[in-house]
Amino acid sequence: MATIELKDVRKTYGANIEAIKGVSLDIADGEMIVLVGPSGCGKSTLLRMVAGLESITGGDVTIAGRRVNALEPSERDIAMVFQNYALYPHMTVRQNLAYGLKNRNTPKDEIDRRITEAARALEIEPFLERKPRQLSGGQRQRVAMGRAIVRKPAAFLFDEPLSNLDAKLRVQMRVEIRRLQRSLATTSIYVTHDQMEAMTLADRLVVLNAGRIEQVGTPIELYEKPATTFVATFIGSPSMNLMKPAGGSRNNINWPSNVATLGIRPEDLVIADASAGNGFGAKVQVMAVELVGAESYVHGTTEDGSAIVFRVPGRSIIPIGEMLELTAAPDRFYFFDSDGKRITT
């Protein structure tokens, strides 16, 4: 187990292509950090720099207090789990699990003990004598995790390990990963583009945007207190509605003087009834309704042409083309300035 520190870490390709633009982050011993952001934001590059698979252009990476910039991956005491499993196809599951330990001259009885413990924890005991081709995708990913676990590293690094699995299996595996990480209390960095995966796995989320950290915090902090419009729209599904404020005041609500954008989450919008007389009000034409089970997402257009999404119970019947008035409580508003930064009131 170990702390991990990134101090003004930078990565430049060629003369002027900056992939990572000065990232600083302290990761506590045993903490599960999730790096999340859109494709091309630099999250996998940053993870690979910690692992030693990418060189560091500037700044420092320390693991357990030791500067590792110049160390090979094998010298950093980390274990990495990839999306493509990276198993040896000609070896059995047992041999895959034992391979790294044998290379470190671990005694045979210790290898057997660690394999037994990992196989039991991951429920892969029946598959120990099988080859990877005889396993399902979920079983292969469990073996890849087992290979990391048996090493007992200072830190786990996960690079989108569930992206090749179907939706149902992804849910099962992320629960399993979180359970194992908590029980092992091993410092972990997990990369994903899936914000639902990020929200359910993280002790803290790190939202990256174009090679920079946009915001760091617990999942609920980022959801309830997004620092920017980027975070507001990236965290949450469907994403926060952003629209222009209706000038001065609307329904007795005074906007901050420097507000440029009003944000309201879909779950905070409700269809107004005859008694509604305060808070946000907007007339919306229904354009589409997505039934997703116990609830539906209604997509509409406001009078000024802004797109808007709100949530209703799944059995609600809302005809396409209908005009509705939506309302929201004033304490559920988010205000952002012209630079996209949240205004606290």
Side-chain angles (χ1 to χ4, degrees):
M1 295 187 288
T3 59
I4 299 175
E5 297 178 28
L6 311 181
K7 298 178 181 177
D8 195 29
V9 172
R10 298 175 182 273
K11 177 64 180 181
T12 303
Y13 294 102
N16 56 5
I17 301 175
E18 287 187 288
I20 302 296
K21 304 170 183 176
V23 168
S24 295
L25 181 67
D26 291 340
I27 303 172
D29 187 11
E31 187 175 23
M32 178 70 143
I33 286 287
V34 177
L35 307 180
V36 67
S39 296
C41 71
K43 54 188 184 295
S44 288
T45 299
L46 191 60
L47 187 79
R48 290 171 64 84
M49 291 166 76
V50 175
L53 300 175
E54 289 277 359
S55 61
I56 299 169
T57 305
D60 290 315
V61 175
T62 63
I63 300 175
R66 181 178 59 154
R67 185 175 181 272
V68 299
N69 290 35
L71 298 183
E72 294 295 320
S74 60
E75 300 173 307
R76 298 190 182 201
D77 195 19
I78 53 93
M80 199 157 182
V81 181
F82 300 92
Q83 66 185 58
N84 63 356
Y85 319 131
L87 301 176
Y88 295 108
H90 62 287
M91 293 183 181
T92 65
V93 169
R94 185 185 299 278
Q95 290 168 334
N96 268 281
L97 296 178
Y99 185 77
L101 298 177
K102 286 183 176 179
N103 285 348
R104 290 171 174 77
N105 298 314
T106 306
K108 184 179 184 304
D109 59 343
E110 177 66 10
I111 292 175
D112 291 341
R113 186 182 65 78
R114 292 192 190 185
I115 289 175
T116 299
E117 288 178 356
R120 185 179 299 119
L122 291 163
E123 299 179 354
I124 56 173
E125 292 169 291
F127 315 127
L128 287 174
E129 306 311 321
R130 295 186 188 180
K131 300 284 182 65
R133 66 176 178 274
Q134 298 172 296
L135 305 178
S136 68
Q139 290 163 351
R140 291 181 195 179
Q141 192 54 272
R142 287 174 186 268
V143 175
M145 288 174 57
R147 188 175 53 190
I149 289 170
V150 296
R151 287 182 52 191
K152 296 190 175 180
F156 291 135
L157 307 181
F158 297 90
D159 189 9
E160 303 210 43
L162 308 184
S163 60
N164 288 339
L165 305 180
D166 62 50
K168 182 178 179 180
L169 193 52
R170 279 202 304 271
V171 173
Q172 294 174 353
M173 287 300 297
R174 74 182 183 224
V175 170
E176 187 68 17
I177 287 173
R178 193 60 175 120
R179 181 187 68 80
L180 283 166
Q181 193 276 332
R182 280 179 172 153
S183 66
L184 296 168
T186 304
T187 309
S188 301
I189 305 177
Y190 190 107
V191 162
T192 182
H193 65 278
D194 185 329
Q195 58 96 13
M196 182 64 71
E197 205 168 283
M199 293 280 285
T200 55
L201 283 171
D203 289 320
R204 283 191 300 155
L205 282 175
V206 179
V207 180
L208 289 170
N209 180 19
R212 292 189 174 92
I213 291 180
E214 193 85 5
Q215 190 174 356
V216 180
T218 65
I220 193 63
E221 284 173 348
L222 267 62
Y223 189 80
E224 291 289 347
K225 299 177 181 179
T228 64
T229 52
F230 180 87
V231 176
T233 54
F234 193 83
I235 300 298
S237 181
S239 62
M240 182 183 288
N241 295 293
L242 299 180
M243 61 200 79
K244 293 180 180 179
S249 65
R250 176 98 177 241
N251 290 0
N252 300 318
I253 303 299
N254 291 316
W255 316 119
S257 60
N258 59 335
V259 65
T261 304
L262 169 68
I264 306 176
R265 290 214 177 270
E267 63 269 25
D268 293 327
L269 286 164
V270 296
I271 299 173
D273 58 28
S275 64
N278 58 9
F280 170 82
K283 287 185 169 58
V284 174
Q285 183 174 27
V286 176
M287 306 302 291
V289 179
E290 290 182 302
L291 175 63
V292 292
E295 57 193 17
S296 292
Y297 298 127
V298 182
H299 298 256
T301 305
T302 63
E303 292 174 292
D304 66 1
S306 298
I308 196 166
V309 182
F310 61 100
R311 191 169 68 183
V312 297
R315 293 182 176 84
S316 302
I317 299 175
I318 300 180
I320 304 300
E322 184 170 352
M323 292 295 298
L324 300 172
E325 181 162 352
L326 302 181
T327 187
D331 62 357
R332 302 310 301 159
F333 291 2
Y334 295 83
F335 301 110
F336 302 91
D337 64 20
S338 57
D339 293 323
K341 295 180 180 179
R342 188 165 67 91
I343 303 166
T344 56
T345 56

